[in-house]
Amino acid sequence: MDQEIYGFVGVGNMGTPMAMRLRQAGKRVVVYDPNAAAVAALAASGIESAASPAAVAGQAGTVFLSLPTPAIVSAVATGQDGLIEGRRVRTVVDFSTIGPQAAVRVARALAERDIAYVDAPVSGGVPGARAGTLAVMVSCPTALYTQLQPVLATFGKLFHLGEGAGQAQTMKLANNLLSAAAIAVSSEAMVMGVKAGLDPRVMLDVINAGSGRNSATQDKFPRAILPGTFDYGFGTGLSYKDVRLCVDEAETLGVPMVVGAAVREMLAITNASYGPESDYTSMCRLVESWAGVQVRG
């Protein structure tokens, strides 16, 4: 077994299966998360735990992050008891979605301690994390990317997007805007059809055979909306955060986002109506409630 120690901070919906992928690949893994139950659930697989991010960074040369917000990433990486205080860490690989500006700030702070920051957000959801089929978007110096490729390939398909922190974040924000937009507009179309008397399963068959097909109609509607489970695996609060970051970044760059702003508002209302812990497929629930019909199989 490879005895190099890898750290993982943040073992929630995505971090847990990703840490498990490392362990299944024969790596020695030490994790930290404030959720003791999540950490304990990994112990049976031989994954070790530490008392703080600093303690993880005191054991592991490479530490992976999977965290929900820019503020939490900043605190974990550079705050008190953060990774920056670890004596062994030399590389921090951040799978979180925090936006390019936050990524640049964290990278600069870590660089002052000679710790490399790798901007590496992922796409593919919990199913992709479990299967090791995520899209891993990476921006960091080419030499470091080459060095990390073998371990990063544990998680999925790699895309090197550039040398500097923030470039992969920009790509991830664009991807997540499109993912949320597909659910929002597909929900409106599907609800309209159902209210007019169409069978939603037949509607999906037609759409997916034609030019309207998208990730929502091909995957999220059959899996989480037609059964009425709304459990695809990505929280409304997180999706709202990502789309808000995307629209903010576009405004900073001087790029108009008329449709993006509408998707942001749909998520804001869904977040207020069903809560941040609801699944982002709940955007369809919102349209259903307005129209007085349900899109079910």
Side-chain angles (χ1 to χ4, degrees), residues 76-192:
V76 164
T78 66
Q80 185 176 1
D81 289 329
L83 301 178
I84 203 166
E85 296 181 2
R87 61 182 174 79
R88 183 162 293 178
V89 64
R90 295 268 71 77
T91 305
V92 173
V93 181
D94 189 7
F95 295 133
S96 317
T97 303
I98 60 174
Q101 296 177 48
V104 168
R105 288 194 297 270
V106 172
R108 287 174 178 167
L110 291 175
E112 292 178 1
R113 299 287 184 91
D114 294 321
I115 302 169
Y117 175 84
V118 179
D119 177 14
V122 298
S123 179
V126 174
R130 289 176 180 149
T133 57
L134 295 169
V136 185
M137 298 156 260
V138 186
S139 55
C140 68
T142 300
L144 181 56
Y145 174 70
T146 300
Q147 175 187 329
L148 291 170
Q149 272 185 296
V151 69
L152 288 177
T154 304
F155 306 108
K157 186 175 182 178
L158 309 182
F159 299 89
H160 190 216
L161 291 158
E163 299 277 316
Q167 290 171 295
Q169 287 294 325
T170 300
M171 182 68 249
K172 177 62 187 298
L173 294 182
N175 178 83
N176 280 21
L177 171 64
L178 292 171
S179 175
I183 297 173
V185 73
S186 297
S187 294
E188 293 181 345
M190 291 294 294
V191 169
M192 178 192 71

Side-chain angles (χ1 to χ4, degrees), residues 19-89:
M20 284 294 298
R21 293 285 310 174
L22 279 175
R23 181 61 183 164
Q24 290 162 358
K27 311 298 185 185
R28 185 177 170 191
V29 185
V30 58
V31 305
Y32 169 77
D33 194 289
N35 184 337
V39 173
L42 293 170
S45 302
I47 292 176
E48 304 164 47
S49 63
S52 68
V56 172
Q59 299 181 61
T62 300
V63 178
F64 301 102
L65 305 181
S66 181
L67 299 166
T69 68
I72 292 173
V73 169
S74 180
V76 164
T78 66
Q80 185 176 1
D81 289 329
L83 301 178
I84 203 166
E85 296 181 2
R87 61 182 174 79
R88 183 162 293 178
V89 64

